[in-house]
Amino acid sequence: MNYLKMIEINKKKIDLWSNVGSRATFGLAALELEKSIKELFIVTCDVSTSAGLDRFRKKVPHKYVDVGISEQNMIGVASGLSTEGFKVITTTFAPFQTLRCCEQIKVNLGYMKTKITMVGLASGLVLGELGFTHCSIEEVGALRSIPNLAIVSPADSLEVVKTLEASLNYDKSVYIRLTGGSPSPSIYKEDYKFEIGKSIKLYEGKDVVIFSCGAMIHNSLEAAQILNKKNISCRVVNMHTIKPIDVDAIKDAAKLSKLLISVEEHNIIGGLGSAIAEELTKIKDSPKLLRLGINDQYSKGGSYKHLQKIHELLPEQISKKIIENLT
């Protein structure tokens, strides 16, 4: 059965999803998908409100299991349900969905090839006021080394819906990394083609190419506008899928550009920039890659925008770094 295109997409919904942010959008999308997917099952760790799943929990309680603060058990329960034919989604806050469950993910999903969809809530820096126990800047690096697992970081709330649909139809387990807060800026104003593993050009240019993902797409687009005003032609690519990486997009950019840039809300070690760098080693005379993200450190806590500023991820800071590396 094909589970794609199960959710009707229109301007009213896009505006609503943008207003409520990625977490609440996930909950709304899950409730709509349940109408078409009889085998859908959700397993959580006491996050029904945080994940926007209160309506789902109340309307279809027989398809919802809350294991409490027991994340490793969550993966075990979800894996068992999957082997019985259910389409299973697990969710909790990103660091607990991933690093706390790393061995279970390795064994059950990677080694045993059990298929589930994992949704990591509030990844990156958005929970900065709770400190780096709740920020998640490491999980892509950890999960990227586990076979049989795809990693997708949606650019906006509409792409959260597209990713969730696609992940249920994908042949491997998928980790969906939700970043940003609410409201969240809309990158896409109408329906579009989405495919796991295929990047999307958002802005065309030839001097430099910015590869980005998640909430940093918005900052990257604004940085590109600053660069264009300075007569620097900038392409922006939504590399929503970090694994499997879009090799063709990297090859194309390497032929075109003087400078490649990766922008991510993650440690510069192990994430999107590292994935791109690995592919560039296979390309003769490839251009320089500038990796922008969290520079392998834990800072003090603070608001989302404050932490973006500390780690030089605001649009004006991104554009400044690019200009410095072009001269």
Side-chain angles (χ1 to χ4, degrees), residues 230-255:
K230 297 180 182 293
N231 296 316
I232 299 172
S233 177
C234 181
R235 176 188 291 183
V236 178
V237 178
N238 176 13
M239 195 68 90
H240 50 71
T241 305
I242 303 169
K243 182 185 180 182
I245 199 79
D246 188 343
V247 177
D248 290 338
I250 297 170
K251 289 179 178 178
D252 183 53
K255 293 176 184 176

Side-chain angles (χ1 to χ4, degrees), residues 2-101:
N2 190 341
Y3 296 104
L4 294 176
K5 297 290 183 182
M6 286 292 178
I7 297 178
E8 178 188 356
I9 294 173
N10 54 48
K11 185 180 184 303
K12 184 177 180 181
K13 284 187 175 180
I14 292 171
D15 290 343
L16 169 64
W17 293 334
S18 175
N19 186 56
V20 300
S22 62
R23 282 194 272 162
T25 296
F26 158 61
L28 292 171
L31 187 59
E32 287 203 49
L33 286 169
E34 186 277 330
K35 298 173 185 176
S36 302
I37 307 174
K38 293 180 180 179
E39 316 94 297
L40 186 65
F41 216 102
I42 294 182
V43 186
T44 74
C45 293
D46 196 26
V47 292
S48 64
T49 300
S50 299
L53 290 168
D54 278 336
R55 289 182 183 177
F56 189 102
R57 175 177 58 84
K58 292 173 182 177
K59 289 190 175 183
V60 282
H62 57 290
K63 294 186 177 182
Y64 183 92
V65 171
D66 188 337
V67 300
I69 308 302
S70 182
E71 291 84 356
Q72 295 167 338
N73 286 345
M74 175 181 68
I75 299 298
V77 170
S79 298
L81 288 166
S82 177
T83 61
E84 293 298 317
F86 291 99
K87 299 291 181 180
V88 188
I89 299 171
T90 65
T91 189
T92 185
F93 288 101
F96 316 131
Q97 171 68 84
T98 55
L99 298 189
R100 186 169 289 176
C101 303

Side-chain angles (χ1 to χ4, degrees), residues 93-100 121-122 124 127-138 298-301 307:
F93 288 101
F96 316 131
Q97 171 68 84
T98 55
L99 298 189
R100 186 169 289 176
L121 305 174
L127 293 183
E129 291 180 342
L130 297 176
F132 276 81
T133 55
H134 284 65
C135 292
S136 192
I137 64 166
E138 320 87 354
Y298 294 121
S299 63
K300 292 182 179 180
L307 287 182

Side-chain angles (χ1 to χ4, degrees), residues 187-226:
I187 304 302
Y188 298 98
K189 308 298 182 183
E190 56 187 20
D191 200 1
Y192 66 101
K193 183 179 179 181
F194 175 90
E195 183 180 349
I196 292 175
K198 297 294 182 182
S199 63
I200 302 170
K201 292 179 189 176
L202 298 175
Y203 211 102
E204 193 56 87
K206 60 183 181 180
D207 292 329
V208 300
V209 177
I210 299 176
F211 292 102
S212 189
C213 59
M216 286 297 103
I217 287 288
H218 178 258
N219 290 18
S220 297
L221 287 168
E222 291 198 345
Q225 292 175 12
I226 294 171

